[in-house]
Amino acid sequence: MGLVRFGMQSIAGLLVISLASFSVITLMPADPVAIAIRVWSLPATDETVAALRAEWGLDQPVPLRYLHWLADFLGGDWGRSFRTGEPVLAEFVERLPVSLSLGLAGLALAIALAIPLGFFSAAYPGSVADRMSRALSVFVQAVPAFWLGLVLLWVLGVQLRWVRPFANDWTAIVLPVLLIALHSVAVLSRVYRRDLKETAGQAHFRTALAKGLSERQALWRHGHRSALYALLSALRSEAGWVIGSTATMEILFGLAGISQFLVQSIAARDQMVLQAYVMVIAVWMLVLNASANLAMRLLDPRLARCPG
Amino acid sequence: MPRLTVLAALAVFLCVGGFWQPYDPDTVDMLARHSGMTASHLLGTDHLGRDLLSRIMAGGWRTACVILSVGAIGFLFGTLLGTAAAVLGGWREKVILRFCEFFIMMPTLIVALTAAAIFGLSPLSAGLALGLACVGPHALLAHSLSQRVLGQPFMLAARSLGVAPARMITGHLLPNTLPLMFAYVGNQAGLAAVAYASLAFIGLGADPSKPDWGSMLFEYRVFIFDHPMLMIWPGTAVALTVSVMNRVFDDGQE
């Protein structure tokens, strides 16, 4: 029951997003045909313009074009890039793994680090871990990840000469993942800590202490599950942030991901690429949301029992 | 009080940058390239001999525009929608909340990225996009705050005394929710400065001749070997601005 409803909602959401982005993108002020003629130095005759418009399907009314695009998109034909003439889908298939692995590795690292950090800062208030997670959460809010990346490149690359800045080697993978994770570590560890603290104020926690568990054991056995639940629900909003920082990291470290592709396509008003990008991001958000929801259901059996 | 002094100093610095800079931020002076920090160029000059302090001040004004418009849009529409949802109740409440939740699902930076891609990046378009992206969370906060206040006994008392609905909202509901909303909006607007810098750094539709902190960082990133201070200063400006905003508006939330 809940699954069907969730599926219907997701499909409706995706349709709304596709319609909204399609209309906004088609109403863009600049004309891709004019840009293409300028870039490729084609003769700007009426025949060329008409031929290009016909080739890209721009001569048809917008609602018809949307339906056409939707049918093609679902059938796996994402159109051809106005800029390169290559199929958009092939380009995305090539680039998506880069962005996905950056984002997912960042998220996974963030969760892996946030749990111990949050746990020890809750178990020992005022300790190094507690102060560190507090300082980190203030720090990452104010310092943009891409600037931190630049400073790191300067310190590690220029001052210490441990890495080669802007080189195409392993550091161009490890540093972005670390930087993407940093923001989420701060946010998630605070969420985790706050929930553990809440558990520590409750009656069943005092009972556990009275039964002879140490505070740390009691926190882990009776607080971890619900804190993990809070962490997962914070993860849903954190996912959007991760996607955004993946974009800046791709630019900074010159990684061939989908955001880099988008930036290259923008100048040409490459409508097919823009549209595909919005859809890919929307699906990505949806999948992350759904998996967080699923994990939350697994953690909390009460949710699984009640429909919707 | 010291907090407000710092905020005022920041506001003055950002606003002065809109009207006056020591040098024209776009004037190229090839004789004074990479001059370093001297008396005439306090923060030095870049690879084209442009005065860095002037460029940072001009970029500060553009950042301030973003912060102001994000704050204004998020605060206005968020409070309006959230309060309306809480007061109206019923199916209208459900529709508004569902709409806001749907809006939140789209990541802020992606909304702004798309807007910047389509309309070109300017303080206005970025402020609009980031501000609209802020409306969802603001509305949800306003809604939950309003609901809490509406459940209080004094609201019941006011209602039974026959206070008119409009008077209830302006006189009893908003005074209780606005202070918290205001703190939240200040925090969010500070974050918008980071988002704007990220957008300018990505360079989507940004006008590279305009001095934005983010686009300066992108332009100067290639000089980290010989002139690292070029990328230190604009980044410091972002970090300082945001941390001041966060400190002032974060009234012991944790």
Side-chain angles (χ1 to χ4, degrees), chain A residues 268-292:
Chain A
R269 292 288 178 266
D270 209 331
Q271 298 182 355
M272 290 298 159
V273 176
L274 264 174
Q275 182 72 37
Y277 182 81
V278 173
M279 293 317 290
V280 167
I281 296 291
V283 171
W284 185 347
M285 279 304 285
L286 202 73
V287 170
L288 278 177
N289 245 307
S291 18

Side-chain angles (χ1 to χ4, degrees), chain A residues 179-199:
Chain A
L179 288 166
I180 290 170
L182 198 64
H183 183 272
S184 310
V185 169
V187 173
L188 296 179
S189 72
R190 292 317 275 178
V191 168
Y192 187 85
R193 174 187 179 277
R194 197 172 52 220
D195 199 86
L196 276 188
K197 279 299 204 192
E198 249 164 51
T199 307

Side-chain angles (χ1 to χ4, degrees), chain B residues 78-179:
Chain B
T79 314
L80 208 67
L81 277 178
T83 313
V87 171
L88 290 173
W91 64 271
R92 286 169 290 197
E93 181 181 17
K94 262 205 195 101
V95 168
I96 295 177
L97 291 186
R98 189 42 65 83
F99 175 74
C100 292
E101 274 164 12
F102 180 72
F103 224 61
I104 292 176
M105 211 184 84
M106 282 310 279
T108 312
L109 203 61
I110 299 302
V111 174
L113 206 73
T114 321
I118 292 166
F119 300 108
L121 184 71
S122 69
L124 192 72
S125 69
L128 212 66
L130 291 171
L132 284 179
C134 265
V135 169
H138 274 106
L140 291 191
L141 179 71
H143 172 253
S144 69
L145 284 177
S146 304
Q147 265 198 333
R148 205 176 300 166
V149 175
L150 283 175
Q152 302 262 329
F154 72 84
M155 291 305 279
L156 190 64
R159 194 172 303 150
S160 35
L161 280 173
V163 178
R167 184 94 186 80
M168 286 269 279
I169 295 172
T170 56
H172 297 278
L173 181 58
L174 288 181
N176 282 302
T177 58
L178 284 189

Side-chain angles (χ1 to χ4, degrees), chain A residues 9 13 17 24 28 141-142 144 146-147 150 154 158 165-166 190 240 244 248 251 262-263 266 269 277 285 289, chain B residues 98 105-107 109 113 117-118 197-198 201-202 204 217-218 221 224-225 228 231-232 235-236 238-239 242 246 254:
Chain A
Q9 273 179 357
I17 289 176
V24 173
M28 276 199 297
Q141 285 224 318
F146 66 89
W147 183 55
L150 268 176
W154 175 54
V158 181
F166 308 122
R190 292 317 275 178
T248 54
I251 305 296
L262 177 76
V263 173
I266 279 304
R269 292 288 178 266
Y277 182 81
M285 279 304 285
N289 245 307
Chain B
R98 189 42 65 83
M105 211 184 84
M106 282 310 279
L109 203 61
L113 206 73
I118 292 166
S198 310
F201 180 79
I202 293 175
L204 270 187
L217 284 171
F218 183 74
R221 81 191 188 293
I224 64 167
F225 294 100
M231 63 97 192
I232 297 290
T236 314
V238 179
V242 181
N246 283 352
E254 271 195 66

Side-chain angles (χ1 to χ4, degrees), chain A residues 23-164:
Chain A
S23 28
V24 173
I25 288 171
T26 9
L27 296 176
M28 276 199 297
D31 182 16
V33 174
I35 295 173
I37 285 179
R38 203 179 58 235
V39 171
W40 296 334
S41 357
L42 295 174
T45 57
D46 288 344
E47 291 92 67
T48 341
V49 173
L52 275 179
R53 295 193 84 85
E55 192 188 330
W56 292 342
L58 297 180
D59 49 351
Q60 289 161 348
V62 174
L64 208 62
R65 275 168 61 194
Y66 172 70
L67 291 179
H68 245 274
W69 169 83
L70 190 64
D72 284 351
F73 186 83
L74 293 178
D77 174 11
W78 292 12
R80 280 172 184 279
S81 157
F82 292 176
R83 189 167 56 95
T84 58
E86 299 291 319
V88 175
L89 183 62
E91 195 82 37
F92 269 86
V93 166
E94 199 173 306
R95 287 167 177 272
L96 198 57
V98 177
S99 305
L100 267 182
S101 47
L102 269 187
L104 291 181
L107 264 185
L109 185 67
I111 297 173
L113 289 178
I115 291 176
L117 189 63
F119 184 80
F120 284 109
S121 59
Y124 306 101
S127 67
V128 179
D130 191 19
R131 273 178 295 171
M132 212 171 81
S133 81
R134 191 177 305 235
L136 195 65
S137 69
V138 174
F139 178 76
V140 295
Q141 285 224 318
V143 178
F146 66 89
W147 183 55
L148 193 62
L150 268 176
V151 174
L152 270 183
L153 279 182
W154 175 54
V155 172
L156 298 179
V158 181
Q159 298 294 310
L160 300 174
R161 301 197 172 276
W162 288 354
V163 300
R164 280 181 32 234

